[in-house]
Each structure stands twice: as C-alpha cells, then as structure tokens.
Amino acid sequence: MKTENILVIGGTGKTGKRIVAHLETLGHNVRIGSRNATPAFDWHRPDGWGAALEGMQKVYITYQPDLAVPGALEAIEQLVKQSKRANVKKLVLLSGKGEREAQLCEQVVIHSGLDFTIVRASWFNQNFSENFLLAPILDGFVALPQAAAEIPLVDVDDIAEVAVKALTEDKHNGQIYELTGPRTLTFKEAVSEIAKASERNITFLPISVQEYSDGMRKANLPEDFVWLIEYLFTEVLGNTELAEISHDIEKVLGRKPTDFSEYVQKTAPSGIWADPVQQTSASRS
C-alpha cells in the first residue's frame, strides 16, 4: 500500500480520532483537521481551509454539528471548490442515514468531479458513552421522545473501519454505503442493556419532543443545539428509512457489524456508566 497524504476533518471527534489512528497505523501521512491543529481547520473560517488542504490527496469530511443544520450546504460547496483548487483527488463524506437535508450535501460531493465515497451512518452506539445521552444515564433517569422508534444503532469503530477502506482502496470510489447495526432497538431497550451491564437502576421515561426541547432550554443549552436535536427526533427518528437494516458493513469489511450488546459489554468495564454517587462514596471511604 502506497503512503498517501490524508486530511481528516474532525480528526479529534468520535469517528475522526479512530480514523486517524487506523491511517497512522497503516503508515499514511495524516493531517488532523481541527481548530487546535496546525494548520487549523475551522468550519467558521474558510479563509484557513486552503492551508489545511495544501498537499493533501484525500479528505475525510465530517461536518459539525450535523450536515442538516443551516449553513452546512454552503460550507460543503465551498470546501469542494477549495479541494479542487488544492488538487485533492478523493473525498469521503460522513452523512446521516434518513437525513434528507444531508443528502443535499451528498449531491455536492457526488457531482464534484472528484472521486468520492458517501458513508451514511445510523445513530451511533457511542451517543450513550461519548455524547449527549451519557449525562442522563449517569443521573439514572433518561427521558426521551420517540420511545417507540426502532433504531439500528451502529458502532463508531465500524464506521471508522469502513471510512479507512474508502480512503485507501479505489474499489470504493463512487459508492454510497449505509451503515447500521445488525438489529434495531428502542431507546428503552438500549438503556435497559446499559443498566444491566453496569449493575445500575436507570429509569426510562417516554416524553414528547416539546417536553424535551423545553428541558434543553431550561438547561440553557444553545438554541442551535436545541434545533438540531428537535430535527433529529422529528425528521430522522420519524423517518421509516432509519429503521431499515443494511448489510454494507459486512460487504466492505467482510464481517458482521458490531451488535449493541457487544458495544455495551466492551464499554461497561471502563466505568464510564458507573454511578457517580457510589464512586464519590468509595473515594471517601
């Protein structure tokens, strides 16, 4: 395998940091695209993108906070233009399964004239350990809308492995992959598995989207974050396409996708879901 220069935008995020680790192990020259890197990559400062793209042959793109938010389409259009000026050869875009707005961004990449792979992922397992669902789990009380939604939760490690294949193997050029886990779960079922593995009592309460939004605003969360969560819980979780199980992970990696139970059994021993009250008591005893 020849050594290539690859920019990983969001290289410190959930998928990005894993992709960076894989690529470096394979011996590629990896540039992390983040605000704290040198050169810096900041989605809000397009004047600095040229320096980050300079000398790069391939680019992994993950847009923060999500491709569905206002302004994402224009940013992807601008990034594609600058990538072409920098003589980038291939783009790999992380997109969202069931997100119609994200598919507009996909079309920009597809029609860029560059080699591409689109990676459409379902909701991440790691949302329960590395994102917004961790705090309520630690509190022992999880209240969420769309309680009956069937979600084929996908593991971020699987997404990263597929993205690395897409970045390093030409046979994935022009492909759109939909990545899901091997089965669907409701939020209640997922929380129940975490509670059992972490030996805790965690209550799950179904609520409306409006109640959830009101709670986020009372917690003084930024309005753009509230908008995004509202969108995800209405447009995405309300979309029957999300529940469809794909076999693309098996097609690309030659193995079955990671089941949610496997993720839970691997994650629980780290103590990430341990009861913080018990941990505090233990540290004082």
Side-chain angles (χ1 to χ4, degrees):
M1 183 183 293
K2 64 179 180 179
T3 298
E4 295 185 291
N5 300 328
I6 304 174
L7 171 64
V8 179
I9 296 175
T12 58
K14 285 190 290 299
T15 60
K17 65 185 178 184
R18 291 168 166 88
I19 291 168
V20 168
H22 281 299
L23 291 173
E24 289 181 338
T25 298
L26 292 171
H28 294 287
N29 299 319
V30 183
R31 178 176 292 167
I32 294 175
S34 76
R35 286 175 293 184
N36 297 321
T38 304
F41 184 96
D42 186 335
W43 279 111
H44 300 292
R45 295 181 177 273
D47 55 320
W49 297 353
L53 290 164
E54 185 177 1
M56 296 293 105
Q57 296 161 286
K58 297 178 179 179
V59 181
Y60 172 76
I61 307 168
T62 177
Y63 184 84
Q64 294 298 322
D66 192 274
L67 285 176
V69 303
L73 179 59
E74 292 76 13
I76 297 299
E77 289 173 338
Q78 178 70 5
L79 180 67
V80 166
K81 289 177 183 176
Q82 292 205 34
S83 295
K84 293 175 80 170
R85 283 201 292 268
N87 293 317
V88 169
K89 304 303 180 187
K90 181 170 185 178
L91 305 173
V92 174
L93 176 70
L94 178 67
S95 186
K97 189 174 187 293
E99 293 187 27
R100 294 184 180 91
E101 281 75 9
Q103 290 178 21
L104 296 175
C105 297
E106 293 177 11
Q107 289 301 311
V108 174
V109 172
I110 289 169
H111 296 290
S112 66
L114 302 175
D115 288 333
F116 72 88
T117 305
I118 305 297
V119 178
R120 284 183 193 156
S122 183
W123 279 45
F124 300 169
N125 290 342
Q126 281 73 10
N127 284 337
F128 293 91
S129 54
E130 300 178 29
N131 207 336
F132 72 106
L133 294 176
L134 176 58
I137 286 173
L138 293 179
D139 289 341
F141 184 82
V142 181
L144 289 172
Q146 297 283 14
E150 296 281 344
I151 311 167
L153 293 160
V154 65
D155 200 85
V156 170
D157 288 324
D158 289 352
I159 298 170
E161 285 189 45
V162 170
V164 168
K165 291 280 190 183
L167 286 163
T168 58
E169 298 177 2
D170 290 342
K171 66 181 179 181
H172 304 292
N173 290 355
Q175 298 297 312
I176 299 175
Y177 293 128
E178 293 202 340
L179 308 187
T180 73
R183 62 185 171 114
T184 61
L185 294 91
T186 64
F187 284 123
K188 183 176 182 179
E189 289 169 338
V191 169
S192 176
E193 289 202 27
I194 291 171
K196 183 177 179 180
S198 56
E199 299 180 339
R200 293 185 55 204
N201 292 318
I202 304 174
T203 300
F204 180 84
L205 177 68
I207 60 174
S208 69
V209 174
Q210 186 60 55
E211 288 173 314
Y212 195 61
S213 299
D214 291 343
M216 288 189 290
R217 290 188 173 96
K218 286 178 183 176
N220 295 316
L221 293 175
E223 194 59 34
D224 57 350
F225 180 78
V226 175
W227 180 91
L228 174 60
I229 296 300
E230 285 179 342
Y231 169 82
L232 293 174
F233 275 102
T234 54
E235 299 298 322
V236 180
L237 286 178
N239 185 346
T240 55
E241 290 178 20
L242 181 68
E244 295 172 359
I245 294 171
S246 161
H247 300 285
D248 285 350
I249 287 176
E250 188 169 1
K251 182 165 69 175
V252 175
L253 302 181
R255 63 166 176 80
K256 301 254 183 221
T258 302
D259 186 81
F260 187 77
S261 293
E262 294 176 64
Y263 153 74
V264 169
Q265 293 303 318
K266 181 175 69 175
T267 305
S270 73
I272 188 72
W273 295 316
D275 189 330
V277 175
Q278 290 182 351
Q279 284 185 317
T280 301
S281 300
S283 65
R284 291 173 178 169
S285 59

